[in-house]
């Protein structure tokens, strides 16, 4: 089965106190653990112990992790990454709280990625027996779960090769300069589940975080999220609007340290045999938004 899903992100925060308030009260995440300089959060419909670790100091992405289906798969993917030219190191159980043993690598994009096969289950807020559709009382937006991340890299084509040839992902959407052999890859949306993407890479400075996104149920949840963002004076970067590319209903906004978040809903499903959808640069307006105008800051701010 290989890589199962995007499991966690470790994100840097300049001020942990304001980050705690924002992720707890605005996004509605549950604080699972805290230690000096670190906060661990999960969302209400997630099983794992956490999906987000906030680390005090700076801004941006410290590392991210994908859960894989077993130790044998971990070894197979480790070999594959080494054959691809990456250096890997083993990480031991509980090196990250609640996370089992795994493999860590610095990707050609400069990001640190971890693969692991085990994380403690904490259970969802609605349980496994006759669960209601949601908890009765949710804080703020009340996001159900982490969905995807978009990272920047100077070489999106290389990252697409790594993720498709070694890690078993497929591209659901690609954005190119032009069709045909002369076209260069600007961005690629990669999936290992049935979502439009679990991770995406867009051309830009290597090692940077563009955004990470939370899945919400539908357009009405996007509207509700917008209301909460307004109430809490959260700086909104874009939206609410709809992407042509991935048909994502979306709002982008910034956490107190300037890390970009998104609430995202999409009816697009993928499967391993589905052809890749291609978008060309001259149609980037339609690929991106109803308004068909891409703010320069959407690509320049990471
Ligand atoms: Fe997104």
């Amino acid at each position: 089965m290989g890589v199962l899903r995007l499991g966690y992100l470790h994100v840097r925060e300049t001020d942990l106190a304001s980050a705690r308030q924002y992720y707890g009260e605005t996004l509605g995440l549950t604080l699972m653990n805290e230690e000096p300089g670190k906060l661990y959060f999960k969302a209400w419909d997630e099983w794992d112990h956490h999906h987000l670790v906030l680390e005090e100091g700076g801004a941006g992405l410290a590392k991210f992790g994908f859960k894989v289906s077993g130790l044998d798969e971990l070894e197979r993917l480790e070999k594959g990454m080494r054959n691809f030219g990456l250096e890997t190191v083993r990480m031991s159980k509980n090196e990250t709280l609640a996370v089992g043993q795994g493999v860590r690598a610095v990707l050609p994009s400069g990001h640190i990625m971890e693969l692991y096969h085990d994380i403690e289950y904490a259970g969802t807020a609605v349980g496994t027996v006759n669960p209601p559709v949601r908890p009765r009382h949710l804080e703020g937006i009340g996001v159900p779960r982490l969905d995807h991340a978009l990272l920047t890299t100077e070489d999106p084509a290389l990252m697409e090769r790594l993720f498709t040839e070694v890690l078993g992902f497929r591209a659901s959407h690609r954005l190119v300069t032009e069709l045909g052999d002369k076209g260069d890859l600007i961005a690629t949306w990669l999936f290992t589940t049935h979502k439009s993407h679990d991770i995406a890479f867009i051309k830009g400075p290597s090692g940077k975080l563009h955004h990470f996104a939370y899945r919400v149920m539908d357009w009405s949840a996007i509207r509700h999220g917008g209301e909460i963002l307004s109430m809490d004076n959260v700086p909104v970067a874009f939206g609410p609007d709809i992407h042509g590319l991935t048909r994502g209903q979306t709002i982008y906004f910034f956490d107190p340290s300037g890390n970009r978040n998104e609430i995202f809903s999409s009816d697009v499903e993928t499967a391993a045999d589905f052809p890749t959808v291609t978008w060309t640069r001259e149609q980037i307006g339609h690929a991106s938004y109803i308004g068909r105008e891409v703010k320069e800051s959407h690509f320049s701010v990471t």
Side-chain angles (χ1 to χ4, degrees), residues 93-156:
K93 185 175 180 178
N94 275 331
E95 198 173 315
T96 296
L97 179 71
V99 177
Q101 60 179 289
V103 175
R104 179 182 300 124
V106 180
L107 304 181
S109 61
H111 300 96
I112 297 172
M113 182 184 76
E114 294 177 343
L115 304 178
Y116 60 98
H117 87 287
D118 188 30
I119 183 168
E120 288 176 20
Y121 278 178
T124 71
V126 292
T128 54
V129 179
N130 304 326
V133 294
R134 63 179 178 84
R136 181 175 292 269
H137 301 293
L138 286 170
E139 185 81 24
I141 300 173
V143 294
R145 69 184 72 89
L146 178 68
D147 192 81
H148 64 263
L150 173 60
L151 310 180
T152 59
T153 175
E154 286 160 20
D155 193 345

Side-chain angles (χ1 to χ4, degrees), residues 148-150 189 197 211-213 243 250 252 262 264:
H148 64 263
L150 173 60
W189 284 259
H197 55 310
H211 70 269
F212 61 101
H243 290 313
T250 179
Y252 294 95
E262 180 187 17
F264 175 87

